[in-house]
Amino acid sequence: MHSHHDVIPTTIGGIKGLAKKIKKQQSVSLSTARGLASQFAGFQNYDHAVKVLEARSNSGSTSYKVFITFYWVDDKTLESGRETLEVIINTPLRKLLTPHQLALGSALSWFKFSGSDHIVCRYVTGGQDMARKKICHASRQLQFINATHLKPGQGYGVYPENSPTNIIPRKDHSSIWQDDQGRYVFMDEPYHVGIDDPDRLAWAKKFNQSIELSPWPSIYYPEQADMFLVSSNGTGVPLKPIIQKLENLSYPDTVENWRGESGPYRPVFMSPDEIMKLDEKKALAIAPKKIGPRGQRKTISNGSIYTGYSVRPKGKMSLADHSKVAQILLKVLADCSSRDGVANRIDYVRGKLDGWGFWEYRGTEEPSTNFSEMYYAHKEHSYRRTIDLKSANSHIHDINVVKDQLKRSYPECAPLNKLITKLDLAISSLQRWTK
């Protein structure tokens, strides 16, 4: 029907243009050619393509290309290759998904960002058919995310009364999704379970849940399974708007309707964004470097041949400020000791400040200050499993106080920036802990 060099049409005019080419190549009627061109573009038929593309045009949405690549080696024949599929979305990929959300997707978790428009899997065991299955599964998940703006999620909050024992009867191939407000949707993709299943209806009534059958095929297995969306009537995502968005979604990618590109294992495939970034690096490499006056050093080396050397900011924080910062870090650490994303970063920061304080005041009029006692004073730990929003916001405020104090006390440099980054990551972990 088409060569791998055909551009996927994203407009009605593009579909018509491809249809003329197909009509000439295959000697079929214009209506048949339009149907084949529409299917190549990811639609069920020409009427479906017109309906969806006109809706997109009226909404004023912009299209962005995303490339999904899988490298494979057949462990029996030792043949190797690459499969790549182009998908059209209306939000830049990096804005649509974070690396963390990519890792939470059951299908997308096989892939990692290679560029702002490219995700890649270098899992080589298995053959071409497996590679295409993985790509199509990821494409369907990406299509769903693009249409609904629901993201792969996690947490017990998706279950009634926060208990996995209250899960919907006869669930299969389930996954957890969240909107931008942190509200939950439970996706269930079982085989041969109807919307009128009495046990599931009774469960929904008992726990005040809504169940909707998706008009779009199953992400897990479009040909066999059905997709049900489940949400709490009180705290979950309203399902009717989600269902309306899925009604206008183009038909999902499947291996049977493979429209991707096959290529050799080497050289690696590079997306347009990756090629542009590579060209920019080459241009920078050959550009003449500007030589200006050397600035004042902002760091200083300390240590010895016996203990090893390290670099710290060329600055000095007052003892009172060291004490204030230490008290804040100890307080946060005591209350969040069971949250590794917070505790490990705070522990790293206090360890560095303990060392910096020692070298800042070594050989001065106040050499007796014990910074280890200051930063490692004993405090009872709470070992809490969860944290309320008020406590989390209080700790975030305190961490920001520490950041501001460090920026006032030390010049901007790599050692200081690393501590600031650790504190920012601790804040991010606190924010996720409340969801």
Side-chain angles (χ1 to χ4, degrees):
M1 174 187 145
H2 60 85
S3 76
H4 292 312
H5 300 288
D6 286 331
V7 176
I8 298 174
T10 59
T11 64
I12 296 171
I15 289 176
K16 288 180 177 179
L18 180 59
K20 290 180 180 179
K21 182 179 177 181
I22 294 172
K23 180 177 182 293
K24 183 177 181 181
Q25 289 178 344
Q26 301 190 18
S27 300
V28 296
S29 67
L30 182 59
S31 61
T32 299
R34 285 181 174 178
L36 293 172
S38 299
Q39 290 174 10
F40 176 58
F43 302 99
Q44 297 174 21
N45 49 50
Y46 182 67
D47 289 339
H48 183 231
V50 171
K51 178 183 176 182
V52 173
L53 292 175
E54 282 185 347
R56 288 181 187 171
S57 177
N58 293 334
S59 67
S61 61
T62 306
S63 296
Y64 299 89
K65 293 181 179 180
V66 173
F67 300 87
I68 308 175
T69 295
F70 198 108
Y71 294 92
W72 58 271
V73 173
D74 191 310
D75 50 1
K76 294 181 180 179
T77 65
L78 299 183
E79 292 179 328
S80 63
R82 167 190 57 82
E83 305 298 311
T84 298
L85 181 67
E86 179 184 316
V87 180
I88 304 298
I89 59 178
N90 54 29
T91 302
L93 181 60
R94 285 284 195 169
K95 289 186 177 180
L96 190 65
L97 280 174
T98 65
H100 177 67
Q101 291 165 339
L102 190 75
L104 289 177
S106 56
L108 291 168
S109 62
W110 283 80
F111 299 83
K112 294 186 182 299
F113 283 104
S114 179
S116 65
D117 62 348
H118 192 198
I119 56 175
V120 176
C121 178
R122 303 189 188 280
Y123 178 84
V124 297
T125 303
Q128 183 184 57
D129 187 59
M130 186 202 74
R132 291 182 175 182
K133 285 180 180 177
K134 294 294 184 185
I135 288 177
C136 289
H137 194 183
S139 170
R140 295 192 292 270
Q141 211 162 57
L142 189 60
Q143 285 178 280
F144 178 85
I145 293 167
N146 180 61
T148 65
H149 281 260
L150 294 174
K151 311 295 174 61
Q154 59 184 348
Y156 286 168
V158 73
Y159 305 112
E161 300 173 356
N162 294 327
S163 174
T165 59
N166 293 330
I167 200 165
I168 187 171
R170 283 189 281 284
K171 67 94 181 173
D172 201 3
H173 316 123
S174 60
S175 54
I176 299 172
W177 299 80
Q178 290 177 274
D179 68 1
D180 292 337
Q181 301 176 44
R183 297 179 298 180
Y184 286 101
V185 170
F186 185 82
M187 182 185 291
D188 182 30
E189 301 180 80
Y191 299 116
H192 313 303
V193 176
I195 188 67
D196 297 325
D197 181 274
D199 291 338
R200 290 159 70 95
L201 291 177
W203 172 88
K205 183 177 180 181
K206 176 181 178 181
F207 293 111
N208 191 28
Q209 302 278 316
S210 289
I211 305 175
E212 293 284 350
L213 175 62
S214 168
W216 199 59
S218 161
I219 292 176
Y220 176 77
Y221 199 162
E223 294 84 3
Q224 297 292 331
D226 290 313
M227 183 201 298
F228 294 91
L229 301 180
V230 184
S231 182
S232 166
N233 289 324
T235 60
V237 178
L239 295 181
K240 294 295 184 184
I242 301 297
I243 296 300
Q244 290 174 359
K245 292 174 182 176
L246 293 176
E247 285 175 349
N248 291 326
L249 198 56
S250 57
Y251 193 78
D253 287 304
T254 61
V255 174
E256 292 74 18
N257 295 315
W258 175 251
R259 57 180 182 81
E261 171 186 300
S262 300
Y265 193 90
R266 291 285 186 269
V268 297
F269 172 82
M270 296 187 72
S271 68
D273 177 71
E274 290 173 301
I275 293 172
M276 181 181 70
K277 293 287 174 40
L278 183 62
D279 289 343
E280 288 176 356
K281 288 182 179 179
K282 289 179 179 178
L284 287 173
I286 62 176
K289 292 181 172 56
K290 293 182 179 180
I291 301 176
R294 294 187 64 180
Q296 184 180 3
R297 287 192 62 184
K298 296 181 178 180
T299 59
I300 187 170
S301 178
N302 52 247
S304 71
I305 192 172
Y306 303 105
T307 61
Y309 292 94
S310 62
V311 177
R312 62 178 173 86
K314 191 178 182 181
K316 187 175 183 179
M317 188 157 62
S318 72
L319 289 174
D321 289 334
H322 267 294
S323 178
K324 181 179 74 173
V325 167
Q327 288 301 313
I328 291 175
L329 296 180
L330 288 170
K331 175 186 172 185
V332 175
L333 191 56
D335 202 33
C336 305
S337 58
S338 60
R339 179 71 172 179
D340 289 346
V342 180
N344 291 345
R345 278 119 183 191
I346 297 297
D347 189 51
Y348 177 89
V349 172
R350 71 168 174 173
K352 286 296 181 183
L353 292 177
D354 172 25
W356 291 2
F358 170 79
W359 287 105
E360 288 166 19
Y361 286 89
R362 186 180 185 224
T364 67
E365 66 280 3
E366 300 180 77
S368 61
T369 302
N370 191 325
F371 287 94
S372 292
E373 288 183 0
M374 186 184 294
Y375 281 100
Y376 287 88
H378 176 71
K379 276 188 176 290
E380 292 295 333
H381 290 191
S382 67
Y383 299 106
R384 61 162 80 203
R385 293 184 61 188
T386 59
I387 192 168
D388 58 273
L389 187 60
K390 182 178 179 181
S391 297
N393 286 338
S394 176
H395 291 322
I396 290 170
H397 172 269
D398 289 344
I399 294 173
N400 281 322
V401 169
V402 171
K403 287 171 54 182
D404 292 341
Q405 182 60 61
L406 295 180
K407 290 176 181 178
R408 287 194 298 270
S409 301
Y410 300 111
E412 183 182 358
C413 58
L416 175 63
N417 291 340
K418 188 169 184 179
L419 261 59
I420 298 299
T421 299
K422 292 288 185 181
L423 292 171
D424 285 335
L425 290 171
I427 289 174
S428 297
S429 183
L430 268 168
Q431 291 169 333
R432 292 194 300 272
W433 198 11
T434 62
K435 296 181 178 180

